[in-house]
Amino acid sequence: MNVVKFGGSSLADGPHFQKVINIITADPKRQIVVVSAPGKRFSTDTKVTDLLISYAQAVIDHTDAKPVIKMIADRYEAIGQFFSLPARPIQKIITKLKSLPDEDYPSNAYLMAAFKAHGERLNAMLLTSVLNQLDIKARFVDPFEAGIIVTDDPSDATVRPETYDNLAHLKFGGEKLIFPGFFGFTPNGQIATFSRGGSDITGAIVARGLHADLYENFTDVNAIYAVDPRIVAHPQAIKKMTYREMRELSYAGFSVFHDEAIIPAIEGQVPINVKNTNHPELPGTLIVPEENFQPKHTITGVASSDRFAALYLHRYLLNKEVGFTLKLLQILYKYDVSYEHMPSGIDDLTIIFDKQQLDDHTIHEMCYDIKNILHPDQLDWIDDYAIIMVVGEGMRSKIGTIENIIRPLAQNNIGVHMINQGASRISIMLGTERADAKKAVKQIYQQFFTLKSNEGSNTHAN
């Protein structure tokens, strides 16, 4: 049995729905379907989720919501009309949409979460009705029925462990089960949404909970590529990679998955196949457990991100002072700031932060405390910072990889401020100035993927 998930661009309108239905019916193993809300039909269009956010805000602000309700209703009606769906299931969806303000919400945050979640919820109801209209037996499965229980955080929920016990007891036969992605229910019965990549997370949760043979994630790209196509035109596709390679690359900017989205599938050891809704015949990229994986090449992919900043701290004999790092971490804890990496030497230390959790006031106060408590000889805040991740299971058994990474950067006058290799030995992190990041990625890609390298090959077929 396979779990298949479709993103918003795959469900934007009636013709896209038809492609999805063709994919579902092409393989009888595709029994569990997870759907997103309808996405953009064209570049200037508005996603249904964004319309629902406007709807929620109008309710919160006590302004007229009728125009946005009509826009949302029109989207679902148009899809229903494409399939000549009877009036009753469409009317049920519209009635549910209009009744959202009448529900009881503990706060505006929960109201917003519930409204946003209904893009997926109503779309799953609609797809179920369309499938049954086409004599394809299907059943809508609400997360409440399935027992998808999440933490009590309305817009950044995480799955609770009892969810997997609940899913294991879900009863179903030969019908297709249609799940809405993006949300679950708190122990108090309130809707709470996942963060970014919410439907991907639901797909991974369901795949693990139902012990799927494969989690097929359909999107609008043919595969995961070895580098961002916006940096290198027509990059090579990755045929197969490991979970941890995907995690490392997602963290540094790969946009196919939010880096936390596939964790449930990883925990359940369910292989993941990323495929294109518009070209389902293509093999896509298969993401598999590390066990028994045999890499064919040193590098699987290279990615970069400029969402980082760094704090450089220098103090003589830093390595001799017991408790120095503990004091530093206590300061970060005081300001509710987590760090990403902390490479160090005998007299210096660099702390790398995700800037999304920081503001100017926090940076100022945190640095003030570090100066007064730790008394560094030098303390510099580096806002112009990017990281590059070079990732590959083949690096573990290959000597000279760092040299081959650094050489083309030096030849092109690209400065490297930091080098860090994790204990797993499948990734090397570089720190550069933002302006150099894309140039560095391009040079590394050319070194390993387009030039005759020490591997004696200019092809990539992991």
Side-chain angles (χ1 to χ4, degrees), residues 41-59:
R41 296 161 293 183
F42 41 85
S43 60
T44 58
D45 199 13
T46 304
K47 297 178 181 180
V48 165
T49 300
D50 291 332
L51 293 174
L52 284 161
I53 291 171
S54 297
Y55 180 15
Q57 197 60 53
V59 172

Side-chain angles (χ1 to χ4, degrees), residues 54-65 69 100-101 105 111 115:
S54 297
Y55 180 15
Q57 197 60 53
V59 172
I60 292 170
D61 296 340
H62 303 288
T63 58
D64 185 12
I69 293 172
L100 286 176
Y105 305 105
L111 181 150
F115 276 56

